[in-house]
Structure formats: structure tokens, C-alpha cells
Amino acid sequence: MHRPKLAIGLVSVALLSGVALVGSASAEAGPAATPAQAGPVPAPPQDRPAADSLRALGDRVGLRIGTAVNMDELGSNADYTRITAEQFSSVTPENVMKWQLVEPTRGTYDWAAADRLVEFAKKNKQLVRGHTLVWHSQLPTWLSSDGYTTTLSNDELKALLKKHIQDQVKHFKGDIWQWDVVNEAFDDDGKPRETVWYKAWGGLGYIADAFRWAHEADPKALLFYNDYNLEFTGPKSNAVYDFVKTLKAQRVPIDGVGFQGHLDTQYGFPDLQNNLQRFADLGLKVAETEVDVRTFTEAAPNVNTPTDPLASYAQESYWSRAMKACLAVRECISFTPWGFGDTYSWIPGWFDDPQEGAALLYDGNLQPKSQYYVLQQDLALAAGAPHRPGPGGGRH
Ligand code: 9MR
């Protein structure tokens, strides 16, 4: 197991703030026993997370710490299930709320897996980020096999999208904290993606409609636009910025923008804090919604072993800066890594030439990596300077 690297001055800060940081013990260990209490450390009460868990440390600064959840593992994999409950105060279904999974056959909904996650979240006092209502990817094949072409007419598509949003948001009404209403509507060059939705509406008008329908169906849910590479100032971030500004001007019920945060150590660290802040300055909440930090790794089967033994230092730095950017922006209400065990990450399967991986906070054996301890320390230190809106970012 990796030992945490203690930052200079950290121990005194931890003592001042009353947070017990772990030594070489697992992240789930309780506070160290004082000499007077020598003997077995009592297990923390089942209904209260350990003080040094990410979720408890996040609570101290009013920041929800989330994770994407793989429903093939939740409930069947004991360690995976335990860590999901113990470490995170928000959950995002990695796949099971996507259209392909909720309506595989036209007209027949299957909410079973998504319902199971919502129940789990309630039981464990977690909020849910609903992901995602409008996307060009992971559509059911009866609707479109590639997100850009379809045999359905424009009128049919419009009616289908309205029904999809209304039915899904109503099904989960009251149970979703933030909805990713629209996902990835812009290309990297800042041009709108010409998806089936864009073509049916003859432009980006589908986005305002989607937000209005979602708001009607659950007026209390926070409604987000979610995308990748918004972290970097450039054509895409600028285009999305201009676009959400027009949505606000038109009084479209958009509450926030999600910065996915799929980072890679081969690129420079983005000017994330500035971008979070400029979107927040439009009167929006912001969130980091799908953070991972990939690096070059060995070929299969060792896809999560970095080729450079120093890679973890760069990864620690990226995780830490991503967290600090959120902590520094008052309107940043949640920080969500895209899963927590390297074995379950989408990265090795997607970036395989050259191979990349090792992108998450826990290794293939679900042991916390040094990146985990860095976040733990950043959160503990942030508690010394509270400047945040309060648990849950003001809701629940
Ligand atoms: O992690 C998800 C993976 O299991 C799916 O196969 C993939 C399908 O495109 O989607 C992944 O999640 C994506 C998320 O929904 C939207 N942003 C990018 C994520 C990584 O591709």
C-alpha cells in the first residue's frame, strides 16, 4: 500500500482542525487511539462516515464528493459497495440512466438498475447526479445507431425527446440533486455538434426546450449543461460560455455547468479555476463532474501500470489542482471522480494506442493510491479556511 505523503505543516493543521489523518492504515481507519484508550480502536458507528473519509472531509467545507457508480459492481462486489458508501456523499450512475439503458425497446422503460442506485443513495445519505437526458451517444439503436443519423422524422424526434425528458425526470422526481440535462453538445472547435437533435431542430434550439421540459417535470432539481475540455480556455470553452450566457439572458432554467475534467498528464494542467469562475460569474453553479487523470501505461494486461515510475507525482499534482480549483470557487458545489477503482475505469479501453490508464484514486485491488491521500489532505487543509456555502451547496 502507498503511504500518504504528509505535506509540511499538515500535522499541526490537522490537529488544529480536529481531523485525524491516516498514517499507513487504510483510508477507512478510525482516529488513532490515545495512550489512555490503548487497545482495539472501536469501529465508527455504521451511520456516520469516518472523519477522514473524503465525504466527511468534504462536508466540513460544504463540498459534496461524488463518484460515478458501476451498477455491475454495486451490491455484488463487497469492497466496491463499502467504499461507495463510506467515501462519497454523492453518486452518479455511470451508465444506467442513459437512454440506451432506460428504454432499450421503444415504449418500454427499464428503471430497475437506476432505481437501485437511488435507493442505495438514500440509505447512505448521498445525493444523486442524474446523468444524462440529452446526448448523441448511448442512444437506443431504434432511435439512432451513431447519434448523427436516424430513420425517424424531425417531428417524431421532437416528440420523443420531450416524452423522454418528461417521463424520466418525473420518474425520479425529488430524488435527483443535479441533472445533466444536456451532455456534450459542442465540438472541440467550438462548433455545435450536428447530432440528430441539432438536425431535428435545425440548430441548438433543442437545448432550451430540454431545460424547460426538465424544469417543468421537477422544478427543484438543479439543471446542468455538462461537457469535457471546458477546463481549458479555448474555442470550445468560449463557445459554451457564450451559449449559456444567451440561455441565461433568455431565462432558460439552467442552474449550472458541469466540467467533466478528464485530464491527462501529457498535456499541461488547464486554467480550470479561471474557467470555473467565469462561468460562475454568469450566475451559475459549477461542478467537476467526471474527473480522472490518465497517464501512459504498459500494454495489456498491465494497462494500469504507468510506464514512467514518476507519473504518480504528476497525477497527484493534477488531482490536487483540480480539487483546489473547485475549493477556490464558491459556486463549485461538487467534485466527482469518474469512478474509483482503476479496474473499472473507461480509460484503458478507450485510450489504447498508445495505452493510457491508472486514472483513478484507487488501484485495481481497490486500495487507495497516493492520489487519494493528496485529496484527503487538500480537503483537511481547506477546512481551516471555510469560505463555502455549506453542505450540499445550499440544497437538501
Ligand atoms: O464511463 C462510461 C463508459 O462506461 C461508457 O461505455 C461510455 C459510452 O460512451 O460512457 C462513459 O461515460 C462518459 C460519460 O457518460 C460522458 N462523458 C464522457 C464519459 C467517458 O466516455
Side-chain angles (χ1 to χ4, degrees):
M1 176 179 301
H2 295 269
R3 287 185 66 89
K5 296 180 186 64
L6 289 178
I8 294 168
L10 177 68
V11 173
S12 54
V13 173
L15 288 174
L16 278 174
S17 63
V19 174
L21 290 166
V22 289
S24 58
S26 79
E28 286 74 52
T34 62
Q37 299 169 318
V41 178
Q46 291 297 311
D47 60 349
R48 185 146 36 92
D52 60 0
S53 62
L54 297 180
R55 66 179 291 175
L57 292 166
D59 280 351
R60 292 168 59 89
V61 288
L63 181 64
R64 291 274 168 173
I65 309 296
T67 182
V69 178
N70 179 333
M71 291 308 290
D72 292 339
E73 302 302 318
L74 196 81
S76 55
N77 177 332
D79 284 341
Y80 185 96
T81 308
R82 177 181 54 79
I83 295 168
T84 305
E86 288 180 353
Q87 294 294 326
F88 303 100
S89 51
S90 157
V91 288
T92 308
E94 183 169 355
N95 286 303
V96 298
M97 283 190 193
K98 293 172 180 171
W99 200 332
Q100 188 180 63
L101 283 98
V102 299
E103 198 184 1
T105 306
R106 188 170 178 175
T108 306
Y109 290 122
D110 178 1
W111 307 115
D115 285 348
R116 200 155 59 80
L117 180 60
V118 170
E119 281 315 303
F120 181 89
K122 284 184 188 163
K123 186 166 152 249
N124 291 290
K125 300 184 172 63
Q126 295 163 317
L127 299 183
V128 181
R129 292 198 84 262
H131 176 85
T132 177
L133 297 169
V134 187
W135 197 20
H136 59 281
S137 191
Q138 284 180 288
L139 288 169
T141 47
W142 58 262
L143 200 161
S144 171
S145 53
D146 62 2
Y148 294 90
T149 56
T150 180
T151 54
L152 302 173
S153 72
N154 291 345
D155 285 347
E156 265 184 302
L157 285 171
K158 287 182 177 178
L160 277 168
L161 189 66
K162 181 175 186 182
K163 181 169 162 47
H164 169 67
I165 291 173
Q166 289 179 332
D167 288 354
Q168 184 152 353
V169 176
K170 273 187 203 143
H171 179 84
F172 295 107
K173 185 174 181 182
D175 290 334
I176 303 294
W177 178 37
Q178 306 173 23
W179 266 116
D180 285 335
V181 177
V182 178
N183 197 41
E184 302 173 6
F186 286 81
D187 272 328
D188 273 343
D189 60 7
K191 297 213 174 69
R193 266 181 215 278
E194 300 197 4
T195 65
V196 288
W197 310 121
Y198 183 91
K199 288 176 190 158
W201 265 256
L204 287 171
Y206 72 92
I207 297 183
D209 284 346
F211 277 92
R212 291 194 174 108
W213 291 329
H215 183 66
E216 277 164 25
D218 186 353
K220 288 191 180 156
L222 296 176
L223 305 183
F224 273 65
Y225 174 82
N226 189 52
D227 214 329
Y228 61 86
N229 279 351
L230 303 181
E231 302 84 22
F232 295 86
T233 305
K236 180 170 185 175
S237 182
N238 292 343
V240 173
Y241 176 85
D242 290 341
F243 181 69
V244 296
K245 197 173 168 181
T246 64
L247 292 183
K248 288 287 287 178
Q250 294 161 12
R251 302 194 172 280
V252 174
I254 178 172
D255 298 293
V257 172
F259 290 61
Q260 293 185 3
H262 294 293
L263 304 174
D264 185 330
T265 61
Q266 72 176 300
Y267 308 117
F269 188 81
D271 45 351
L272 176 55
Q273 185 182 328
N274 287 335
N275 276 293
L276 289 169
Q277 190 64 60
R278 71 169 172 153
F279 279 78
D281 290 345
L282 293 175
L284 293 164
K285 298 182 193 312
V286 291
E288 293 185 40
T289 55
E290 306 184 11
V291 185
D292 44 29
V293 182
R294 61 188 185 270
T295 197
F296 292 123
T297 54
E298 293 179 8
N302 301 318
V303 292
N304 287 309
T305 304
T307 45
D308 182 345
L310 299 180
S312 67
Y313 293 102
Q315 291 175 302
E316 287 169 24
S317 164
Y318 278 44
W319 277 103
S320 178
R321 288 150 86 185
M323 172 62 82
K324 284 176 182 153
C326 184
L327 287 167
V329 175
R330 227 185 127 77
E331 298 81 2
C332 186
I333 60 172
S334 58
F335 180 94
T336 303
W338 202 237
F340 59 84
D342 282 340
T343 311
Y344 312 110
S345 168
W346 69 293
I347 296 287
W350 189 265
F351 297 95
D352 59 358
D353 186 20
Q355 187 65 55
E356 295 185 74
L360 296 174
L361 300 175
Y362 286 68
D363 68 17
N365 297 317
L366 290 180
Q367 295 300 312
K369 303 195 295 191
S370 57
Q371 290 89 321
Y372 168 93
Y373 296 107
V374 165
L375 291 197
Q376 198 184 36
Q377 293 174 5
D378 286 336
L379 286 166
L381 288 164
H387 62 283
R388 303 191 48 84
R395 173 149 181 250
H396 290 264

